[in-house]
Amino acid sequence: AFASHMFHGSHQLARMKYGMDLGDLIEEAGREAKTTRSPVRSGLVVEQAKKNHDYVMNPTSNRIAQMATQGAFMWYLAQSPAAALVNMSQTFTVAPAKLAAFHDKGAAVGIPVALGQLNKAMFDLGMGRTFAEKSPRVTPAEKAAVQEAYRFGLITRTQSHDVAGIGDSGIKYSPVRAKLMAAMSFMFHHTERINREATFLAGYRMARRRGLDQKNAIRKAAELTWDSHYDYQNSSRPAVMHSNTGKALLVFRNYSMNMLADLAYTAYEMINPRNKQERKEARTQMLGLGATLAFNAGIRGLPLYGLLMMIAGMFTDDGEDPEVELKKTLLQHLPKPMVGMMMDGVPGYLSGTELSGRMGFGDLWFRSDDMDREGDEQYLYWMQQVMGAAAGVPYNWYRGMSQISDGYTWRGIETMAPKAIKDPMKAYRYYSEGVATKNGDPIVDDVGGWNVAKQALGFTPAKVTEQYKLNSYNMNKQKEIVAERSKLLGDFYKAWKSGDEKQSDQIIDKMRTYSEKYPEMRIDGDAVRSSLTRREKYRGSALGGMNYNQKLVPRLQDEQPGSVYR
């Protein structure tokens, strides 16, 4: 009780002390917005600031929304080594472009300089057991700057603490829950802390080299760190994420929103800059981000890649997957290792690990679907995408219970378990059974100890992912070919039954085209006659419009409840 009262009391005192001052500043900003180059745009920014201020003064969080976000965090991120390690990639994908723009000598020169400073900062943190203040390679002035960054919350207010609900002041504070969530978010939080500390240190050093004094160097380094790793504090979220419904539906979307807004704003500055310097910085950021993403995540990790592939698929004549066609074309002209690095990034290819989908920006909002779903399956898939990660937890429980009832106990428990438990269970299954179907048919012949170890950490082996994608492509293609053949035969039956000779001739022409395209599945006279005979037979034996196994018809009729309306 004491901890809860002190926690909320401190927030109340802070609101009383600074609330009116912040309100006055927002009113002043509103007056200044009317005199800017773009009053409407500036006014929208001020309006958003006002909404955030209102939210801080009157938080709207409730226990159910917080439980949903915490539950999703526990299931998908907590104590997952892979999630923590992938989180560190942001320092080497986003931060270099921001630091290169500040270096102000273009992407070609700025990116190597930024990467050099980031690598140096990471090494210095390593010498201090991940803390700059403990590193003998960090100067007293640099340590003082890092301490100042800690003081105003730049480094410690991370995404993991936000999602875990540790820093949320809008619900009843529980020290037990706070300690539990802090322990569960330890790996994810500290990797992000290292990200921010390293980026801040690199930015501070670059600022000092450009002649900025201590105070302005700290301010600039903080700005670069916010730009690279974003502000995940609850009060800094978009207004749509302040509501309880928004929090539950958009859990884990904070990063995606920030990244999309960052990309959009950078593109806007390139097209409509205030001056040449702004355009130059925006161009450096965009080119730098593209370069680091292409290296680390490959073509599939470039921004909005999934959306672009989906749009491209709408314009293909034969229904081929644009990504498959791209890979085929590259393999025809380039060596396999080069194609692998181009498609999936250098780290992922060299380590044999699926990293593109986790490090890249190809699917920033919705995850691309490799399966050719229709009807209810397609609707269910997209509903899961819209409902967010929290809704996936009960769905996985349902799937797991279904697998257990079918006799696949290990797989069922694996499906229901949190990711920190699921990954080691899957790794043990790979070790003992190999990568196989439920029936025991091998999917990948030889997994190997290295791939088992990667899976235990939470990383999917690249050869497994590739084989699953090939299987999906082959099944989708087979389904498409067989469905087209069945439809042609069905349409011909209907036309023949109705005596429509013109329609029959048109369908025959389509059958010839189909047979030329798929000669192994050609539709000849024997196939047509066999189809007509079979359909007539089924039509004659149908009961209530349904075709049953003729051996079971007497039993089904005897055991059915019967009809009361005939």
Side-chain angles (χ1 to χ4, degrees), residues 330-343:
L330 292 175
L331 286 171
Q332 289 175 359
H333 300 91
L334 298 172
K336 288 185 178 180
M338 185 177 292
V339 174
M341 287 185 278
M342 289 177 64
M343 293 295 295

Side-chain angles (χ1 to χ4, degrees), residues 2 107 158 172 233 247 287 334 389 426 475 487 537:
F2 175 78
T158 63
K172 185 177 181 180
Q233 297 181 80
K247 286 180 181 179
L287 291 174
L334 298 172
K426 184 179 288 187
M475 290 302 296
K487 185 176 186 306
K537 177 183 177 182

